[in-house]
Amino acid sequence: MAKAVESKPDLILLDIMMPRVSGFDVLDILRNTPATQHAKVIMMTALSSEKDVARAKSLGVDDYIIKSQVAMADVVHIVKNTLA
C-alpha cells in the first residue's frame, strides 16, 4: 500500500489470496485512499465463484481475470483495454 500511495500507479494487478491481507481488503483501501482511488485495478486470481466476482465489483474493481481461464495474450489485451 505504501508503494502504491508513493508511486500512484496507473494500473495495479491484484491477487485475492495473499499472505497477511486479502486482495479484497487491499482493493477497499485503494478505493478509499485519495492517492490511489483512481488507479485502475485488475484482480487476477484463481477464485472463480460468482460471489467473489460480485464482491470485487462491489468494491470497484475495473476487471476480474480468472487465472485458469485466460491465456497470457488475453491478459495483455485486457490490460491494454483497461488503460485505454
Side-chain angles (χ1 to χ4, degrees), residues 9-58:
D10 294 325
L11 174 72
I12 298 169
L13 292 176
L14 181 62
D15 200 347
I16 293 174
M17 298 181 295
M18 300 185 300
R20 297 187 187 106
V21 63
S22 83
F24 292 123
D25 293 334
V26 172
L27 178 60
D28 189 37
I29 293 166
L30 288 168
R31 290 298 182 237
N32 289 293
T33 302
T36 58
Q37 66 185 357
H38 298 296
K40 301 290 184 182
V41 178
I42 298 174
M43 293 197 114
M44 191 166 171
T45 182
L47 300 180
S48 61
S49 77
E50 289 297 320
K51 179 181 173 187
D52 292 323
V53 175
R55 183 171 179 198
K57 287 182 180 182
S58 74

Side-chain angles (χ1 to χ4, degrees), residues 5 44-45 71 75 77:
V5 168
M44 191 166 171
T45 182
V75 173
H77 180 73

Side-chain angles (χ1 to χ4, degrees), residues 11 13 42 44-45 65-81:
L11 174 72
L13 292 176
I42 298 174
M44 191 166 171
T45 182
I65 299 172
I66 300 165
K67 293 177 188 178
S68 64
Q69 298 176 2
V70 67
M72 187 54 68
D74 296 327
V75 173
V76 171
H77 180 73
I78 291 167
V79 166
K80 285 181 179 180
N81 284 344

